[in-house]
């Protein structure tokens, strides 16, 4: 049989004795190796292996709790940021729209057209002009008053002096009854200022201006009416939309709930039916022209300069400047005639027309006294309508008719209007 070869452990140890290691020797060698490894581990891991692992586990647990907390706070922060971004986005859209309108306005009259026309039936021109940048430096005192009185940068404004105290009281009494708070009286004399204070009516007294003050204190209706175009300019420069109101007007609803705000000027009409108020094709007949005897004309009755809503735009301010300028130069001109000429006359040789957008108010909501006394009071259905305002512009006996209108619409006295003639006597 072949002899068995022995491995190294079975052979003799050092010294060449050739004898196998004893059990004690093997144990001693193992202890020596263990001690050596222990020293190496103690040097490399002074904090110990288990301590490091437990710390790591604790660190991960704390990190998990922190992440959960941070996730909750992160969601809240994200929601807040989302709301903020949505607001900024809305502001950016508004700015883009305004810049787009300015770009279109800047491109008018130029060879290059910045926009392409859309499909048939979809094209619409600009409806509103951009508002001006408010400039509070022109009148800090008025700016402070308007901040307190106006709502959404809109308010009713009326001019008054002591000559019209009775009508002024009816005017603001009905405004208060309706619940309107954003209104202001421009007091043209000391007596009116004192009167407004005593009645808790918001008022504004302009800084002294000799020319305007003389007209304001002693002027009649037409003279005072002409002042408003100059005075209103500051309101628009401050960035406020104004609903200008004469004081021979009775309020039955809040007019701001019935405005469209899609034009520079939104005015009540002196027209007494749909044709005269909103425009019609009037055929002019000239028999001497034979075959061409009929000429078509477009007609509309004038806007009433005693009640109109005007937005703070460049065309609106230009309108006020034009009217005020002409009234200062043309002593015999009537402010309402000039107001309408500047609104409607087109550009022609020697004259550049005003580029301004306008809207006619509903004649049964914003009712003049001709509509009321000639038509509405005689019609059973129209009598049921509740107007926003009634303007006693067609009749000189204003105070008596104003009282009767209040009796009819506020107190329900059905025969309150019957004894008045259609027109004036």
């Amino acid at each position: 049989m072949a002899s068995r070869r022995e491995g190294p452990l079975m052979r003799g140890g050092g010294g060449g004795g050739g004898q196998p290691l004893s059990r004690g020797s093997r144990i001693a060698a193992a202890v020596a190796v263990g001690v050596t490894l222990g020293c190496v581990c103690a040097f490399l891991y002074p904090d110990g292996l288990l301590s490091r692992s437990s710390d790591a586990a604790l660190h991960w647990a704390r990190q998990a709790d922190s992440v959960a907390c941070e996730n909750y706070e992160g969601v809240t922060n994200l929601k807040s940021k989302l709301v903020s971004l949505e607001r900024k986005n809305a502001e950016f859209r508004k700015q883009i729209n305004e810049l787009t309108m300015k770009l279109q306005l800047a491109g008018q009259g130029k060879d290059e057209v910045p926009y392409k026309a859309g499909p048939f039936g979809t094209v619409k021109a600009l409806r509103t002009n951009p508002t001006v940048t408010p400039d509070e430096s022109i009148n800090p005192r008025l700016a402070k008053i308007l901040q307190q009185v106006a709502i959404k940068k809109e308010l009713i404004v009326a001019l008054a002096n002591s000559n019209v105290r009775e009508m002024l009281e009816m005017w603001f009494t009905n405004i208060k009854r309706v619940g309107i708070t954003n209104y202001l009286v421009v007091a043209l004399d000391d007596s009116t200022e004192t009167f407004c204070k005593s009645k808790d009516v918001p008022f504004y007294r302009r800084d002294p201006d000799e020319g305007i003050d003389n007209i304001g204190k002693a002027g009649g209706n037409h003279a005072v009416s002409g002042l408003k175009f100059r005075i209103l300019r500051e309101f628009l420069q401050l960035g406020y939309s104004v609903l200008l109101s004469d004081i021979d007007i009775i309020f039955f609803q809040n007019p701001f709930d019935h405005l469209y705000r899609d034009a520079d000027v939104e005015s009540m009409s002196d027209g007494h039916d749909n044709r005269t108020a909103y425009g019609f094709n009037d055929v002019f007949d000239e028999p001497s022209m034979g075959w061409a005897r009929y000429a078509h004309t477009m007609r509309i009755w004038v806007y009433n300069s005693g009640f109109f809503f005007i937005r703070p735009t460049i065309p609106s301010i230009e309108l006020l400047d034009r009217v005020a300028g002409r009234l200062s130069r043309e002593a015999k001109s009537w402010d309402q005639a000039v107001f309408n000429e500047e609104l409607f006359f087109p550009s022609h040789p020697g004259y550049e027309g005003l580029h301004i957008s306008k809207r006619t108010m509903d004649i049964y909501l914003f009712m003049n006294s001709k509509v009321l006394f000639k038509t509405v009071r005689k019609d059973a259905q129209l009598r049921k309508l509740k107007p926003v305002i009634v303007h006693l512009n067609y009749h000189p006996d204003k105070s008596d008719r104003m009282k009767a209108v209040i009796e009819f619409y506020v107190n329900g006295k059905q025969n309150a209007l019957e004894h008045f003639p259609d027109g004036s006597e």
Side-chain angles (χ1 to χ4, degrees):
M1 294 177 63
S3 62
R4 179 170 57 89
R5 295 179 63 87
E6 295 178 338
L9 293 178
M10 299 300 294
R11 294 184 186 137
Q19 298 297 321
L21 290 174
S22 66
R23 178 180 177 86
S25 298
R26 289 199 299 271
I27 292 173
V31 169
V33 171
V35 170
T36 303
L37 288 175
C39 291
V40 172
C41 289
F43 178 78
L44 293 178
Y45 303 101
D47 295 329
L49 291 172
L50 294 177
S51 173
R52 192 172 184 86
S53 298
S54 62
D55 284 349
L58 181 60
H59 171 74
W60 281 109
R62 286 175 180 168
Q63 189 176 23
D65 291 341
S66 175
V67 168
C69 183
E70 287 178 0
N71 283 343
Y72 178 77
E73 293 177 355
V75 170
T76 304
N77 290 335
L78 284 175
K79 288 181 179 179
S80 177
K81 288 179 181 179
L82 182 60
V83 172
S84 177
L85 288 172
E86 286 176 349
R87 286 182 189 148
K88 289 181 179 179
N89 190 31
E91 291 176 3
F92 286 146
R93 282 200 303 268
K94 182 179 178 182
Q95 291 174 3
I96 289 171
N97 290 337
E98 290 181 353
L99 288 173
T100 300
M101 287 187 283
K102 288 179 181 178
L103 181 61
Q104 280 192 317
L105 291 172
Q108 287 180 357
K110 302 203 176 163
D111 294 336
E112 294 184 2
V113 179
Y115 300 100
K116 294 181 180 179
F120 179 82
T122 65
V123 177
K124 287 188 177 181
L126 293 176
R127 293 297 186 266
T128 57
N129 287 301
T131 56
V132 299
T133 301
D135 181 9
E136 293 189 0
S137 66
I138 63 159
N139 194 332
R141 186 167 64 86
L142 177 58
K144 187 175 181 180
I145 294 173
L146 296 181
Q147 288 171 5
Q148 297 171 348
V149 173
I151 297 176
K152 296 181 180 178
K153 306 210 78 171
E154 299 176 342
L155 75 161
I156 301 169
V157 174
L159 280 66
N161 60 21
S162 56
N163 294 333
V164 291
R165 176 174 292 188
E166 183 183 8
M167 285 195 296
L168 175 61
E169 185 166 13
M170 280 192 280
W171 181 83
F172 65 65
T173 298
N174 278 275
I175 282 181
K176 290 181 177 182
R177 179 184 52 78
V178 174
I180 302 168
T181 59
N182 52 329
Y183 70 99
L184 186 71
V185 174
V186 178
L188 299 175
D189 54 26
D190 295 337
S191 176
T192 303
E193 178 181 349
T194 303
F195 181 61
C196 289
K197 286 181 181 178
S198 68
K199 298 295 183 179
D200 195 26
V201 170
F203 70 92
Y204 164 62
R205 185 74 187 275
R206 300 182 70 256
D207 292 332
D209 185 317
E210 184 176 349
I212 291 180
D213 286 346
N214 290 337
I215 297 173
K217 291 176 181 178
N221 289 342
H222 287 303
V224 171
S225 185
L227 288 179
K228 61 195 171 196
F229 299 99
R230 185 179 297 275
I231 293 174
L232 286 182
R233 191 186 206 276
E234 291 185 346
F235 287 79
L236 268 59
Q237 283 183 277
L238 292 170
Y240 289 84
S241 296
V242 173
L243 183 57
L244 188 281
S245 171
D246 282 353
I247 59 168
D248 57 344
I249 290 175
I250 305 295
F251 288 78
F252 301 103
Q253 299 185 60
N254 191 326
F256 294 106
D257 295 336
H258 300 273
L259 297 174
Y260 284 81
R261 300 174 178 83
D262 62 349
D264 297 305
V265 174
E266 200 166 337
S267 178
M268 74 173 296
S269 172
D270 271 2
H272 59 90
D273 56 22
N274 287 348
R275 295 175 74 251
T276 56
Y278 310 136
F280 64 102
N281 181 4
D282 187 34
V283 180
F284 177 76
D285 184 9
E286 190 176 7
S288 63
M289 287 298 295
W291 175 82
R293 64 183 290 179
Y294 299 111
H296 290 259
T297 69
M298 302 308 298
R299 297 188 63 187
I300 185 172
W301 286 29
V302 295
Y303 282 178
N304 191 289
S305 63
F307 192 87
F308 60 86
F309 179 72
I310 186 166
R311 296 175 60 249
T313 67
I314 292 297
S316 296
I317 295 175
E318 185 181 357
L319 169 67
L320 299 180
D321 288 352
R322 286 188 179 211
V323 176
R326 282 187 56 185
L327 291 175
S328 67
R329 297 188 302 269
E330 305 168 10
K332 295 183 179 180
S333 293
W334 180 29
D335 69 283
Q336 181 159 291
V338 175
F339 177 68
N340 280 273
E341 288 169 3
E342 294 298 334
L343 274 174
F344 288 98
F345 281 179
S347 298
H348 55 263
Y351 176 77
E352 183 180 354
L354 181 65
H355 297 276
I356 190 168
S357 59
K358 45 200 172 287
R359 167 182 280 275
T360 306
M361 291 177 170
D362 187 314
I363 61 171
Y364 295 108
L365 292 179
F366 299 91
M367 192 184 300
N368 64 57
S369 56
K370 183 174 182 178
V371 172
L372 175 60
F373 286 96
K374 185 179 177 182
T375 306
V376 171
R377 67 170 175 166
K378 301 174 184 178
D379 187 294
Q381 294 302 315
L382 292 177
R383 285 168 67 95
K384 298 176 183 178
L385 295 176
K386 184 180 182 180
V388 176
I389 61 120
V390 171
H391 188 181
L392 278 297
N393 60 315
Y394 269 103
H395 299 89
D397 50 341
K398 297 180 183 297
S399 183
D400 290 340
R401 292 194 186 236
M402 287 175 74
K403 293 175 183 176
V405 170
I406 294 171
E407 286 291 327
F408 182 77
Y409 283 112
V410 177
N411 300 325
K413 189 176 179 180
Q414 293 301 302
N415 63 347
L417 307 176
E418 289 180 1
H419 66 281
F420 292 97
D422 287 355
S424 57
E425 293 180 340

